[in-house]
Amino acid sequence: MSTEDPQAPWLRVHPASPFVQGWIAILGLIFIYLQNTRELSFAERFAQERLPMTALIGGGLLLVILLVYFLSWYFTRYRITATHVYVNTGMIFRSQKQARIDKVQSIEIAQPLVARLLGLAELRFDVADGSSSVLRLSYLKKDEAAQLRRQILTLAHGQQPTAAVSVDTVDTPVPDIEDERQLVRVPPGRLIGSFLLRPGAIIGALLTITLLVLTIVGVGGFAAGLFPALLGFGGWFYKELNGGWNFTASVTDTGLRVAYGLTDTKQQSVPVRRVQAIEISRPWLWGSLGWYRMQINVLGTGSGDDGSESTTVVLPVGDVHAVAQIMGILLPNLGVAEQREVLLTALEGSGEQRGFTVSPRAARIFSPWAWRVQGFAVTPTTLITRHGRLGRRATFTPHTKVQGTSWRQGPLDRRRALATVRVHSAGGTVLGELEQIDSAVAAEFFEAQAQRASER
């Protein structure tokens, strides 16, 4: 089948799509009207002498907005052939985006709040080149979007669907290229409890109490200064809540699939071969509860046109069992026979157990509480690092994913024969760090890592 397949027609998205993207314009119109008539009562706004003019102006502006919405819908079309996905947009300035189907790694289904209320969904294509601009198909009925996703992934995996790829074939059975088995589900109570026990939430709660007290006693100046900080905390809290609410992690034939969202729901696939590094952390107040958080570096999680980013959090909060299950999918081979024991040592252990090398006694002056914990272990496949006593953090970086290694040694470190080595990988902020280890050990590791890189 060629790229210009005559059996693959141009199709239009759902007619309500422009409203999902531009509903704020209608709210803005209402807000402007209310602002310009705020001196009038509700009854006066719709008094007989004002009603014709209000209806004329409001109706005219509404017609203009609806006309723009109609033209936006009319000129937005998509086409899916055996080799490419095409999306055309624009009325005056036309644009066409395309993605090669054989480069499609996963397709995310997203539902912003308005789309969710209307039963619509958006397809976001994640392609192998890691482009910063994500191809989007907005919006289709949710069932049609899910069916179309399965059909495109079928083509991407080299199989042939039973019919032409379009939403008109929604009733055609298609092989499910990603049969899912749920591994982990985060209960809402645990999620909210984990937020309340994080340092950011505690600081936000203190700011809220301070703002209320200052407002009550009438100290307006201080309250005005705290208000922006409180707004920032509210934005952070909503982002974290929306990113963890109703969170599930499932295993598929290509890796891990996560779903989450309170107002905006998303489903995202994480191919195993693109995971570059894994970090497991535990804030100090989570210690007695045995909770952990997991995030990853993964290639191809670029931001889209609206600035949104794919999540790198694969477990917002969970116990050791949940951590072990997800680790078994994302990094099934740690290069040791007793993998679970090594994982637990990285999360909870101290000293030179299970092959770990820790900071020497000379580092005690810099890390009096954690020097016996911070250290690293090197297996045939993976570099494992750990840090902290109260708040713990462990990172896992496969040798084949290391992009670079850096050396850091300040004057005080040099006097005590200490050094810090950082191991960098692509696709995120997870960083492997051998902190304040013996400089001779650091030099040996540095040389060994360079040798491993040259052999790849």
Side-chain angles (χ1 to χ4, degrees), residues 21 32 47 65 95 105 113 132 136 138 151 192 194 197 237 259 268 289 331 335 355 362 379 409 425 430 433 440 451:
Q21 298 170 325
I32 292 173
I65 292 175
S95 67
Q105 300 294 311
L113 178 59
S132 62
R136 298 167 182 266
S138 311
Q151 290 178 315
I192 295 174
S194 69
L197 293 176
F237 184 83
Q268 179 187 346
L289 299 172
L331 191 57
T379 76
Q409 188 180 46
S425 60
V430 176
E433 190 171 39
Q451 181 65 27

Side-chain angles (χ1 to χ4, degrees), residues 22-42:
W23 59 272
I24 194 68
I26 297 178
L27 289 185
L29 180 64
I30 297 174
F31 177 77
I32 292 173
Y33 171 74
L34 294 177
Q35 282 292 101
N36 284 276
T37 59
R38 58 185 175 183
E39 72 281 356
L40 303 176
S41 65
F42 181 81

Side-chain angles (χ1 to χ4, degrees), residues 79-96:
R79 182 184 186 187
I80 300 172
T81 71
T83 57
H84 285 78
V85 179
Y86 300 93
V87 177
N88 286 352
T89 57
M91 294 177 289
I92 300 175
F93 300 100
R94 305 298 303 276
S95 67
Q96 181 183 90

Side-chain angles (χ1 to χ4, degrees), residues 53-107:
M53 183 60 65
T54 300
L56 180 63
I57 296 175
L61 292 176
L62 183 60
L63 284 177
V64 171
I65 292 175
L66 292 177
L67 178 62
V68 173
Y69 283 1
F70 171 78
L71 293 176
S72 174
W73 167 79
Y74 183 81
F75 287 101
T76 300
R77 300 188 301 168
Y78 70 96
R79 182 184 186 187
I80 300 172
T81 71
T83 57
H84 285 78
V85 179
Y86 300 93
V87 177
N88 286 352
T89 57
M91 294 177 289
I92 300 175
F93 300 100
R94 305 298 303 276
S95 67
Q96 181 183 90
K97 291 186 177 182
Q98 63 182 35
R100 284 178 52 181
I101 286 181
D102 61 346
K103 298 295 184 181
V104 172
Q105 300 294 311
S106 63
I107 304 176

Side-chain angles (χ1 to χ4, degrees), residues 127-262:
V127 294
D129 60 6
S131 170
S132 62
S133 181
V134 179
L135 180 67
R136 298 167 182 266
L137 184 54
S138 311
Y139 287 85
L140 305 172
K141 290 183 179 180
K142 184 179 179 182
D143 292 342
E144 293 175 349
Q147 180 71 5
L148 191 58
R149 172 185 176 274
R150 287 194 294 270
Q151 290 178 315
I152 295 173
L153 288 177
T154 299
L155 287 174
H157 283 69
Q159 303 176 23
Q160 290 296 324
T162 57
V165 180
S166 75
V167 297
D168 297 328
T169 62
V170 69
D171 295 327
T172 303
V174 177
D176 193 346
I177 204 68
E178 283 193 345
D179 293 325
E180 297 185 12
R181 176 173 58 85
Q182 188 177 114
L183 293 178
V184 177
R185 181 180 180 275
V186 178
R190 176 180 292 183
L191 180 70
I192 295 174
S194 69
F195 288 159
L196 298 178
L197 293 176
R198 290 173 64 177
I202 295 173
I203 294 173
L206 293 176
L207 284 175
T208 302
I209 295 172
T210 303
L211 180 61
L212 290 175
V213 171
L214 293 177
T215 303
I216 292 173
V217 300
V219 186
F222 287 101
L226 287 173
F227 191 68
L230 190 59
L231 286 179
F233 165 73
W236 168 84
F237 184 83
Y238 169 76
K239 180 181 178 181
E240 293 292 318
L241 186 65
N242 190 62
W245 190 263
N246 214 18
F247 188 98
T248 60
S250 305
V251 59
T252 71
D253 63 338
T254 59
L256 195 71
R257 184 163 179 81
V258 297
Y260 56 93
L262 176 61

